[in-house]
Amino acid sequence: MKGSLRPLGLSLCIATVVLASSWTFAQPPLPNLAALQQAITQADALETQGLNLNLPLVAEDGSAVPLKVQFNAPLAEGEWITQLRVFASGNPNAEVIDFEPSAAISQLEFSSRIRLSESQDVYVLASSNQGRQWLASRQVRVTLSGCLMSGDEDTTQMGMSQPRIALPRQAQAGKPAEIRTLINHPMETGFRETASGETLAASLVDHLVISRAGETLLRVKFYTGTSANPFVSFFLDQQDQLTFTWTDDQGQQIQETR
Amino acid sequence: MSNSTKDFSVSRRRLLKGLGLASLIPVVSACDSKDSSATANLSAPSPTQAKAGRVLVIGGGFGGATAAKYIKRGNPAISVTLIEPNSTYYTCPFSNLVLAGERNLDSIGHNYNELKEVYGVEVIHALAEDIDGANQSVKLSNGQTLNYDRLLLSPGIDLRWNAIEGYDQAAAELAPHAWKAGEQTLLLRRQLEAMEDGGTFIMSIPADPFRCPPGPYERASLIAHYFKQHKPNSKILLLDAKDNFSKQGLFTSAWQELYGDMIEWVGLSNDGRVVRVDAANLEVETEFGSVYKASVLNVIPPQKAGFIADRAGVSNEGGWVPVNANTFESTQVQNIYVVGDATLAAPMPKSGFAANSQAKVAAAAIVASLAGITPPDPYWANTCYSLLNPDYGISVAGVYKAEEGQIISIPGSGGLSASDAPTSIRQAEAAYAVGWYEAITQDTWGS
Ligand SMILES: Cc1cc2nc3c(=O)[nH]c(=O)nc-3n(C[C@H](O)[C@H](O)[C@H](O)COP(=O)(O)OP(=O)(O)OC[C@H]3O[C@@H](n4cnc5c(N)ncnc54)[C@H](O)[C@@H]3O)c2cc1C
């Protein structure tokens, strides 16, 4: 690998993929990382400390790999994290899921279930409102376990249905507690073919917004890399009077208030 | 081995000819021939055992008992000591038949007589409590400390108590897991027998990886078979932390065919993941707050490698043991080999067949390394049979090799029972399952 890395704390695993001087990606070509590359605005100032990407080392089912992203680096006065974007270098489309918290979220810990089409490196890029960025990555080996061969076809279900929300059972006021959401939707990628060779049209839940009294607390953007029936978990200091709005790629919405 | 299995006995030769064991034939013989080629190189007799080396094997289950035997077969001069607390090992395979009242527990019990008497393995009934990898020694519950040149661990799984809120050892006495065969199997059987017709049997099933991926679904099938005959108004509810499961299409269509709507399966995306157990009230709560009450509750909790793997320093942050694919030696501690459910061996599943197959590879690697030679290239096989009733079998099979330090499924190998097979094939596969059981327990414990 050529090109020298600038000194700013890039971890080794990233260094093997990224050429710092030009910010093109090293051999073998990883065209998918173009999206990640574009999202990196200040390559020479990328930080790594305090951003954690949690994924199993080995995933036996690439269609729903549990993902957890945590951020706990010290931030400046008035600085907050605006985006945590997840990319999968080996998927047909590298974009997986974006979490866009507001300044009101104090505990930055987000979970979902993602698709990994093969063994690969997964990245998360965090950005703050002051233009700072953090990058973390993790290698996941995807194997279909021998006994897991299910041998059946996915049935095609259409549209969004059955929104589910779980609020903490006994939360203490002002202490962050976990909220879980899920909506049924096939998250059809547009890459799949039927037995007769027809390509199934893409159909996705586009995003989920959690708000209180008209103020957005968290927006989550879904992509083809998000598993069917998108699941999201996050932490809020206060868990009352929340509105959850899911919007699909046709503009249809489902709204729930708790 | 007790008498009752004799009813099922099939001669090994006939068995290997059985179509369903087609995958067993090349594999066993491949392993055998590899072993014997290794043996051939090694058979220059060592004057003393001390010179040939000392191997300790921890765990007398599928992996450990097989390894002890095949190390001795590879080189009888090696001193082999097996450490296992129980004098009878009850197999999880076919324990679902015990739950259904189709077999008794004795019929799945095996002992260590063959290892002791035929192969000269020393067997110590104690628990290994600690391992010092640097000094190559093992501390036992009976106070002994033993040294080794090579150590092989096949400790199976430990259950992750409290990974599901409220599910601990005490809760398992009320809501059994029965994921280790023996007392737990009998407890769940007694509860099923005592249940009134019209009751609800609930099973909580974990996410991957866990011991025996098709096991929960076979269990549901065989309990449905029992209910159908004795408690036909009863229901079975499966709450699953996954959206896909092993042989899913085959299971769900057979459930329809054999049991109508008795079995209901709720997957992860329909709020199937259990997060809390109230064992005293036989209640479970799922991720999104649904509460279900059971008449009999079976909780299969998340799992990890047996605790001794942590003591040996061979497990990783996920609780499983990474191994060198070619030898099954730990990637973290030298001279410690680990096989079976405790390992990260995907795409091989956590099955008894896989543990047996891995143990032969590790045994050959240990024999070779003590002789200072390179071990043969490994191949492994696995077939998981599942019974949907005692006369209805299905299977999934795979053959594996090591490539670039990883285990891979050999392209084009293995396969799954056809979805449109006639009854005669299902019957034949049920018979092959019995033949498989006879063959593997014979190979592992000689009984
Ligand atoms: C319901 C059910 C059905 C199944 N059906 C099948 C099937 O049809 N086919 C199949 O191939 N597999 C099946 N399995 C899976 C199979 O049981 C396991 O994969 C297999 O037992 C793994 O072997 P092992 O050697 O890794 O562990 P085990 O067989 O569990 O053996 C571990 C042994 O180590 C001992 N031990 C643990 N810790 C220590 C210590 N510190 N010191 C000393 N000894 C110790 C234990 O007492 C135990 O005897 C089934 C499992 C279940 C639960």
Side-chain angles (χ1 to χ4, degrees):
Chain A
M1 195 178 118
K2 286 197 284 172
S4 66
L5 274 171
R6 308 220 183 129
L8 284 153
L10 273 181
S11 76
L12 259 180
C13 58
I14 295 162
T16 58
V17 178
V18 183
L19 288 174
S21 48
S22 61
W23 289 95
T24 55
F25 289 84
Q27 303 296 331
L30 296 168
N32 284 331
L33 286 179
L36 169 58
Q37 197 181 338
Q38 275 164 22
I40 295 174
T41 52
Q42 285 185 297
D44 51 358
L46 268 182
E47 301 178 43
T48 57
Q49 287 297 309
L51 177 61
N52 282 317
L53 177 58
N54 261 295
L55 285 161
L57 296 169
V58 179
E60 298 196 18
D61 176 5
S63 72
V65 182
L67 162 101
K68 182 153 85 180
V69 174
Q70 286 165 300
F71 182 92
N72 52 25
L75 293 171
E77 192 60 37
E79 183 178 33
W80 77 87
I81 295 299
T82 55
Q83 264 196 335
L84 295 130
R85 305 194 61 193
V86 179
F87 299 89
S89 60
N91 279 2
N93 166 18
E95 290 166 303
V96 173
I97 191 166
D98 302 340
F99 303 98
E100 299 174 354
S102 69
I105 295 195
S106 67
Q107 181 170 340
L108 295 166
E109 178 173 334
F110 305 97
S111 300
S112 187
R113 295 165 188 151
I114 69 168
R115 289 173 169 149
L116 297 177
S117 56
E118 58 185 43
S119 299
Q120 56 182 282
D121 293 319
V122 180
Y123 296 82
V124 59
L125 178 72
S127 308
S128 85
N129 65 331
Q130 299 188 358
R132 284 210 283 166
Q133 289 191 314
W134 291 255
L135 186 64
S137 80
R138 180 113 180 173
Q139 196 172 46
V140 182
R141 184 158 180 256
V142 178
T143 60
L144 186 66
S145 163
C147 276
L148 284 178
M149 246 189 255
S150 65
D152 63 351
E153 303 274 293
D154 271 355
T155 48
T156 321
Q157 150 225 341
M158 295 301 293
M160 299 189 289
S161 64
Q162 296 244 32
R164 290 187 169 92
I165 295 160
L167 299 176
R169 262 191 309 133
Q170 62 230 136
Q172 291 171 18
K175 245 187 123 191
E178 186 183 15
I179 295 173
R180 293 190 283 255
T181 70
L182 183 144
I183 195 157
N184 287 134
H185 189 282
M187 295 296 281
E188 198 55 65
T189 56
F191 309 134
R192 284 207 315 154
E193 287 184 1
T194 60
S196 56
E198 253 175 276
T199 304
L200 291 164
S203 163
L204 299 170
V205 182
D206 191 72
H207 61 273
L208 162 66
V209 170
I210 294 103
S211 59
R212 181 184 290 115
E215 183 203 345
T216 297
L217 300 171
L218 172 68
R219 182 174 181 274
V220 184
K221 169 94 172 100
F222 304 116
Y223 298 93
T224 50
T226 312
S227 295
N229 312 304
F231 168 91
V232 175
S233 115
F234 55 95
F235 285 74
L236 286 184
D237 295 12
Q238 230 188 305
Q239 302 93 24
D240 57 342
Q241 295 166 28
L242 297 172
T243 301
F244 299 77
T245 312
W246 287 267
T247 306
D248 73 10
D249 53 4
Q250 308 295 309
Q252 299 279 4
Q253 291 197 328
I254 289 190
Q255 196 165 76
E256 292 277 307
T257 300
R258 293 293 156 92
Chain B
M1 160 103 108
S2 66
N3 307 325
S4 32
T5 32
K6 290 277 189 312
D7 313 344
F8 296 85
S9 79
V10 182
S11 89
R12 189 175 160 79
R13 251 191 30 254
R14 217 184 91 207
L15 208 160
L16 289 173
K17 278 202 227 143
L19 250 182
L21 293 161
S23 67
L24 191 62
I25 303 171
V27 173
V28 168
S29 54
C31 292
D32 280 348
S33 63
K34 296 261 183 286
D35 285 347
S36 48
S37 64
T39 315
N41 297 332
L42 299 171
S43 52
S46 310
T48 61
Q49 289 209 341
K51 229 178 166 185
R54 175 158 173 73
V55 179
L56 300 183
V57 175
I58 295 180
F62 279 91
T66 304
K69 173 168 167 175
Y70 278 77
I71 292 165
K72 276 292 193 186
R73 278 181 56 165
N75 182 359
I78 295 173
S79 144
V80 178
T81 302
L82 175 72
I83 298 146
E84 159 65 51
N86 304 308
S87 51
T88 303
Y89 174 90
Y90 295 102
T91 61
C92 286
F94 279 21
S95 67
N96 287 331
L97 284 168
V98 176
L99 294 178
E102 297 285 327
R103 272 192 174 226
N104 60 32
L105 192 66
D106 281 351
S107 79
I108 57 169
H110 303 273
N111 62 41
Y112 302 98
N113 291 345
E114 187 199 52
L115 280 180
K116 286 189 272 197
E117 289 157 17
V118 180
Y119 291 95
V121 172
E122 182 194 8
V123 179
I124 300 177
H125 290 301
L127 191 71
E129 287 182 339
D130 213 349
I131 292 174
D132 182 339
N135 282 318
Q136 307 202 162
S137 69
V138 177
K139 198 172 141 261
L140 306 188
S141 55
N142 64 9
Q144 268 180 288
T145 297
L146 304 176
N147 291 299
Y148 63 83
D149 295 315
R150 300 290 183 275
L151 175 64
L152 184 137
L153 306 180
S154 191
I157 54 159
D158 270 3
L159 304 169
R160 288 187 185 267
W161 303 116
N162 294 309
I164 298 178
E165 188 188 329
Y167 196 69
D168 55 16
Q169 267 141 308
E173 295 303 313
L174 303 168
H177 52 80
W179 219 238
K180 295 184 177 189
E183 273 311 311
Q184 280 275 310
T185 316
L186 293 176
L187 174 61
L188 183 54
R189 172 64 192 159
R190 284 195 300 272
Q191 293 182 347
L192 290 166
E193 277 183 299
M195 191 186 94
E196 282 179 18
D197 187 16
T200 304
F201 170 68
I202 296 181
M203 190 192 301
S204 162
I205 305 170
D208 301 311
F210 67 102
R211 160 176 283 184
C212 196
Y217 314 98
E218 178 189 71
R219 174 172 292 180
S221 310
L222 291 173
I223 290 175
H225 173 71
Y226 166 69
F227 284 171
K228 188 176 170 181
Q229 299 165 81
H230 300 282
K231 297 167 189 187
N233 300 307
S234 307
K235 286 265 169 251
I236 296 177
L237 177 62
L238 307 178
L239 298 173
D240 206 328
K242 301 182 291 304
D243 269 330
N244 302 300
F245 64 84
S246 176
K247 304 179 246 186
Q248 185 165 0
L250 290 166
F251 272 111
T252 47
S253 64
W255 287 343
Q256 267 297 318
E257 179 190 333
L258 301 172
Y259 308 117
D261 55 6
M262 183 185 275
I263 302 175
E264 184 187 350
W265 175 75
V266 181
L268 179 66
S269 297
N270 286 310
D271 195 19
R273 187 167 80 95
V274 168
V275 295
R276 192 175 62 87
V277 170
D278 176 350
N281 291 311
L282 299 181
E283 276 179 11
V284 293
E285 183 182 331
T286 57
E287 192 166 55
F288 289 99
S290 308
V291 175
Y292 299 92
K293 185 161 174 64
S295 314
V296 175
L297 178 59
N298 175 206
V299 178
I300 305 167
Q303 299 152 25
K304 60 181 166 128
F307 79 94
I308 199 70
D310 293 340
R311 298 294 160 80
V314 294
S315 53
N316 73 7
E317 60 187 63
W320 302 104
V321 178
V323 289
N324 174 331
N326 286 291
T327 56
F328 274 70
E329 185 174 0
S330 159
T331 56
Q332 295 175 193
V333 185
Q334 243 190 345
N335 295 329
I336 301 184
Y337 294 69
V338 188
V339 299
D341 287 358
T343 61
L344 274 171
M348 293 194 79
K350 298 190 187 302
S351 75
F353 196 146
N356 169 280
S357 190
Q358 292 160 6
K360 290 171 183 169
V361 165
I366 286 172
V367 171
S369 102
L370 287 172
I373 62 172
T374 312
D377 285 340
Y379 292 89
W380 303 268
N382 180 66
T383 304
C384 290
Y385 286 99
S386 298
L387 294 172
L388 284 111
N389 73 30
D391 295 314
Y392 190 120
I394 57 174
S395 66
V396 58
V399 187
Y400 308 87
K401 65 176 180 184
E403 199 174 272
E404 292 167 9
Q406 306 274 26
I407 298 171
I408 63 157
S409 177
I410 297 177
S413 73
L416 189 66
S417 303
S419 58
D420 55 357
T423 312
S424 57
I425 296 283
R426 304 293 189 221
Q427 280 172 348
E429 287 219 82
Y432 302 153
V434 175
W436 169 81
Y437 184 84
E438 288 294 318
I440 195 119
T441 54
Q442 184 69 38
D443 188 37
T444 306
W445 295 276
S447 65

